[in-house]
Amino acid sequence: IELELSSCDASVRTVTPVQSSAIKAHGRLMIAAWAWFGPLGAVLARAKLLCLRHGYAKAWLYAHALAQLTALILTAIGFSYAYNAIEDADGVSHYTYRHPKLGSFVMWGALAQFVMGVFRPHPPKAGDAKSTLRLCFEAAHRLLGYAVLTMGIITILSGINKAFDLAHIHEVKPWNTMAIVPVVIAVAAMLVTTAVTFCGSGPADDGPQKAEAVDGRVAKEEAEPMA
C-alpha cells in the first residue's frame, strides 16, 4: 500500500519478490568461477616455471588462459542471473547490499585481468633484461589477480550468508563446503608447486633464465592468435 501524504490518497502496488531459483543459479555459477576455476588459474600461474623447465610452455599458456577465461564467462553469466532477478523484482535496488558492490569489483577486475593478459608485453629474449613495461605488467597482473581472487572468495561467502538471511537457501553448510573445499585444495597445490619449483634440483632445473627464454619464444608465437 502506497500513501500520498499531500493528498491522503492510497493505492495498492503489487511487489514481485526476487526469485530464489535465480539466486541459487547465481551462487552456483560464482562458486564455479571463484572457488574452482579462479584458484585453478592461480595454481597454473604458480606452476609457470616448473612447466617451462619441462617443455610444457604452450600447454601452460593455454591452460592458464582457459581457466581464467572460463572464470570470466561464468562470472558474466552469474552476474546476469542476479541482475535480471533483481531487475524483475519491483522496489529493489541493485546495490541495496554490500554483496553486489563487491561482486561488481570482481566482475570488472576479472575483465581487466583478461584484457591485460591478451595485450601483455612480450618477455625479453634470452640474455636480455625485462623492459619497464613488462615489469609493470607482471606486477599489476599478479597483484590484481590475487586481489580479484581474494575478493571473489569473500564475495561468495558473504553472498551465501545473505542468501540465507533472505531465505533463498535453507542451509549454509553445504554451500560453504562447495566454496571452501576447492579453495583449500588450491592453496595446498600452490604451496606444493612452489616448494617443487624453488626447492627441487636436477638436470631439468636450469633456473629462471631458461624459463624466461622459453616463455619469450612462446609468447612471441602466441601473441597474434591471443590478441
Side-chain angles (χ1 to χ4, degrees):
I1 298 176
E2 293 183 342
L3 178 63
E4 178 60 46
L5 297 179
S6 60
S7 61
C8 294
D9 292 335
S11 60
V12 178
R13 179 184 179 190
T14 302
V15 178
T16 304
V18 176
Q19 296 297 313
S20 295
S21 59
I23 298 302
K24 290 177 181 178
H26 165 77
R28 293 187 184 101
L29 288 166
M30 291 306 188
I31 288 174
W34 296 106
W36 292 85
F37 285 99
L40 175 61
V43 172
L44 291 168
R46 178 59 61 182
K48 174 182 176 181
L49 293 181
L50 189 63
C51 291
L52 295 180
R53 289 172 188 171
H54 291 83
Y56 297 108
K58 287 186 178 181
W60 170 85
L61 182 65
Y62 285 125
H64 176 69
L66 180 60
Q68 300 302 78
L69 178 59
T70 302
L72 177 60
I73 292 173
L74 291 173
T75 301
I77 298 173
F79 187 89
S80 67
Y81 263 97
Y83 187 93
N84 291 331
I86 296 174
E87 185 74 14
D88 293 338
D90 297 326
V92 180
S93 172
H94 287 284
Y95 293 97
T96 299
Y97 307 109
R98 184 183 305 169
H99 175 75
K101 297 176 183 178
L102 296 176
S104 295
F105 170 82
V106 174
M107 175 68 191
W108 294 112
L111 180 60
Q113 277 291 89
F114 181 74
V115 171
M116 277 198 293
V118 170
F119 296 103
R120 68 196 183 283
H122 297 319
K125 296 180 179 179
D128 294 342
K130 292 181 180 180
S131 66
T132 301
L133 189 61
R134 176 70 188 188
L135 290 172
C136 291
F137 159 74
E138 290 183 355
H141 195 60
R142 185 177 294 111
L143 290 174
L144 181 59
Y146 282 119
V148 171
L149 181 56
T150 301
M151 192 62 68
I153 296 168
I154 293 173
T155 305
I156 288 173
L157 297 178
S158 73
I160 291 172
N161 290 326
K162 180 57 66 176
F164 180 76
D165 292 340
L166 297 176
H168 292 302
I169 60 175
H170 302 295
E171 291 184 86
V172 170
K173 186 175 180 180
W175 290 84
N176 280 342
T177 301
M178 284 192 295
I180 294 173
V181 169
V183 172
V184 171
I185 293 174
V187 171
M190 291 181 68
L191 293 175
V192 171
T193 301
T194 301
V196 172
T197 301
F198 294 101
C199 299
S201 60
D205 187 3
D206 294 328
Q209 290 78 11
K210 179 180 178 180
E212 285 293 345
V214 177
D215 189 26
R217 292 197 300 272
V218 173
K220 184 176 181 179
E221 295 173 5
E222 302 300 334
E224 293 185 3
M226 292 190 71

